[in-house]
Amino acid sequence: MFVSEILASKGSAVMTVAPHDSAAHAVDVMASRRIGAVLVLDVDGSVQGILSERDVVRALSMHGALALTLRVEALMTSDVIVCDPDDTIDQVMALMTTGRFRHVPVVRRGELRGLVSIGDVVKWRLEEVRHESEALRQYIVVGA
Ligand code: AMP
């Protein structure tokens, strides 16, 4: 299964903020959308970073409530690992496991196509396992 199949089902919408937005604004976006991360885009639409709830927790631990007044760019991860729509779900799982993160933006030729979360990956992997076991069951029944 491919990343493009996840995007075909969930759509390509990605919640974004700007580098100069406040952390408080990013937290509002995450809370109101019930998501764990926002992508940070520059005015030209290029990916500048990613800010997840973990970054906010880390900043709160370091700076207290003042953390919410800081700019997103001060808290975000700048070195963002991305995937391609033609990557397999197994490849994205490997990226998440190795990098210890739960969100991967989907980018092709510099253009943002969507974002895959660990929740999406687990859902699709479960579906795949269900199909495989059903196919095996049919194979055994037909072969018996
Ligand atoms: P997460 O597990 O996605 O909440 O993120 C854990 C940490 O990894 C946070 O510091 C994020 O900023 C960072 N992070 C999340 N996604 C990515 C990604 N695709 N590439 C690089 N860092 C990421």
Side-chain angles (χ1 to χ4, degrees):
M1 272 188 180
F2 297 92
V3 167
S4 55
E5 293 172 71
I6 294 183
L7 295 186
S9 162
K10 74 174 275 192
S12 58
V14 183
M15 289 304 127
T16 65
V17 295
H20 290 185
D21 283 340
S22 68
H25 172 68
V27 165
D28 280 346
V29 173
M30 286 193 255
S32 63
R33 299 288 176 155
R34 296 171 177 267
I35 53 175
V38 285
L39 210 54
V40 186
L41 298 189
D42 224 336
V43 277
D44 65 357
S46 64
V47 176
Q48 295 295 301
I50 188 163
L51 182 80
S52 96
E53 51 202 0
R54 291 207 182 156
D55 300 312
V56 177
V57 167
R58 197 178 307 123
L60 284 170
S61 159
M62 283 173 67
H63 307 289
L66 266 184
L68 296 176
T69 66
L70 299 176
R71 288 176 169 184
V72 163
E73 63 190 347
L75 276 52
M76 70 186 189
T77 301
S78 304
D79 197 4
V80 184
I81 306 293
V82 302
C83 68
D84 184 88
D86 286 343
D87 286 343
T88 65
I89 292 171
D90 281 353
Q91 284 173 312
V92 173
M93 281 172 78
L95 282 180
M96 288 178 173
T97 307
T98 310
R100 294 172 179 263
F101 46 70
R102 299 165 293 176
H103 302 87
V104 181
V106 187
V107 174
R108 171 162 284 181
R109 288 185 219 99
E111 188 189 315
L112 182 63
R113 296 289 181 91
L115 185 136
V116 175
S117 75
I118 198 160
D120 302 321
V121 167
V122 169
K123 182 177 164 211
W124 279 78
R125 190 71 188 103
L126 278 176
E127 202 56 39
E128 207 171 33
V129 168
R130 226 190 317 272
H131 281 129
E132 280 167 10
S133 70
E134 185 54 35
L136 275 175
R137 200 172 290 123
Q138 289 298 327
Y139 176 75
I140 291 166
V141 169
V142 170

